[in-house]
Every structure is written in C-alpha cells, then in structure tokens.
Amino acid sequence: MGYAGTTPFLLTPEEVQDITGFKLSRLQVDWLSRRGWRFEVNAIGRPVVARKYAEKMLGCADEEAVVLRPNFGALRAA
C-alpha cells in the first residue's frame, strides 16, 4: 500500500466498505456509481478510489492553494 510514514494513494478495501456500507464489490460499485463518484474497477472487480478524491467528496479535503501567475498581458499592453 503506502510507504512507512506516508498516507496511501488509494483507499483500502476496508475504507471503501466503510464509505459504501457494502462488503460485496458489485454493491460498492453500484453505490459509488449512483452517487457520481469517480473510480476504477481493478482486475479482481474491486472499486479503486483515490484517497484525495474521497476526501474531497466527503468534504474534508485541504483547501486548494491559490496559484498566482504573472499577468503577461499587462506587460504587452504597456
């Protein structure tokens, strides 16, 4: 899963079960699909969800940093 001291990129199967309330993969897939979640299904039929996406969907993601970029248009107008 993850390296020591880091958060895994993907939710564990247990975490997907906790979110959906279902143990069977096909029911997890149905739950995620009906709610508009983005996920992939792996080779053994389990839904795979990115951790940051799940945090965003559950309303507990970190605020996105504001990226400031230079306004090159203002330089051309001068």
Side-chain angles (χ1 to χ4, degrees):
M1 293 279 153
Y3 297 102
T6 63
T7 304
F9 177 73
L10 300 173
L11 296 182
T12 65
E14 293 78 17
E15 289 172 319
V16 175
Q17 181 179 338
D18 287 344
I19 288 170
T20 64
F22 294 103
K23 189 169 187 168
L24 295 175
S25 296
R26 66 181 168 81
L27 296 176
Q28 293 172 347
V29 166
D30 183 54
W31 189 95
L32 293 165
S33 294
R34 283 187 284 115
R35 285 162 178 79
W37 282 53
R38 293 177 55 192
F39 64 96
E40 293 293 327
V41 177
N42 68 14
I44 59 173
R46 286 193 180 143
V48 177
V49 181
R51 180 170 305 281
K52 285 194 180 225
Y53 180 75
E55 290 172 354
K56 175 185 158 201
M57 291 297 286
L58 296 170
C60 56
D62 291 335
E63 294 286 328
E64 292 186 24
V66 175
V67 178
L68 300 176
R69 294 194 171 94
N71 182 354
F72 292 113
L75 294 174
R76 288 187 201 107

